[in-house]
Amino acid sequence: MADALQHKNQRLAIKLGLIAALMFGFGYALSPFYSAFCKFLGIDRAEAGYTQAGTALRIEFDVNVAAGLPVTMRSLDGVQTGRSGGVVKARFLLRNESDQAVHLRAVPSFAPVRAAGLLQKLECFCFDAMALAANEEREVTVVLLVADQLPPEMGAATLSYTVQRLDPPAA
């Protein structure tokens, strides 16, 4: 009886080993099969979804200030047009409305999120914390490098900044 059970276990192990080998082979062959299938249909996977160099991207700049922060900020260049491979510079006006110094940081975010991979910040006021003296007004900038290749469906992107206080509010 033990021999019969051992024989069944050996057969099961061989079957499972064959199934695993077949699954590995299928996974290994899937990539060339997919490439051949795309070539047959006339779809070039390497260039799918990207346009020629020189494509324009509308870049919108948005500003938010944390609640209770005595600061105003506005975009001087609300909308820019960036060309693939080009550089875009945008200016913002930051003003401390209080009679006390404040320490700030601007936190950037992109919409849609994939725009973060297409717009590289070369220079940005968000890289470092800022201190604004009482009633100080300052112009700050961001310089963006636009990717060489842009997806055709990416007609616009928004770069939004949220200005937050770094020091605790005065008591």
Side-chain angles (χ1 to χ4, degrees):
M1 182 142 154
D3 267 349
L5 185 58
Q6 187 177 8
H7 183 64
K8 283 184 179 181
N9 285 342
Q10 285 178 342
R11 285 182 53 200
L12 180 60
I14 291 171
K15 286 180 184 178
L16 291 176
L18 284 173
I19 290 171
L22 287 172
M23 289 173 62
F24 177 78
F26 178 74
Y28 190 76
L30 193 56
S31 180
F33 173 73
Y34 185 70
S35 294
F37 184 70
C38 287
K39 188 174 182 179
F40 173 76
L41 292 177
I43 301 170
D44 186 2
R45 290 187 318 162
E47 296 298 321
Y50 290 97
T51 60
Q52 299 295 328
T55 302
L57 176 67
R58 177 185 165 97
I59 305 169
E60 301 168 0
F61 297 96
D62 179 50
V63 178
N64 303 292
V65 176
L69 189 58
V71 170
T72 58
M73 185 172 178
R74 66 183 175 96
S75 174
L76 298 175
D77 306 304
V79 177
Q80 296 278 343
T81 301
R83 297 268 174 209
S84 57
V87 175
V88 173
K89 180 178 179 180
R91 301 169 299 135
F92 300 85
L93 190 61
L94 187 59
R95 178 166 174 71
N96 180 358
E97 300 287 340
S98 75
D99 58 354
Q100 296 179 5
V102 290
H103 292 81
L104 312 168
R105 177 169 297 273
V107 180
S109 63
F110 288 94
V113 174
R114 86 185 265 204
L118 301 173
L119 299 171
Q120 179 185 357
K121 291 188 288 296
L122 299 177
E123 178 186 320
C124 185
F125 62 95
C126 64
F127 290 160
D128 298 310
M130 294 177 281
L132 286 178
N135 299 308
E136 180 184 356
E137 185 174 87
R138 183 184 307 168
E139 187 175 297
V140 293
T141 60
V142 61
V143 179
L144 302 169
L145 175 64
V146 181
D148 289 334
Q149 298 286 323
L150 297 172
E153 70 276 3
M154 184 71 70
T158 301
L159 175 54
S160 180
Y161 287 100
T162 301
V163 179
Q164 299 176 347
R165 180 188 301 267
L166 283 182
D167 55 345

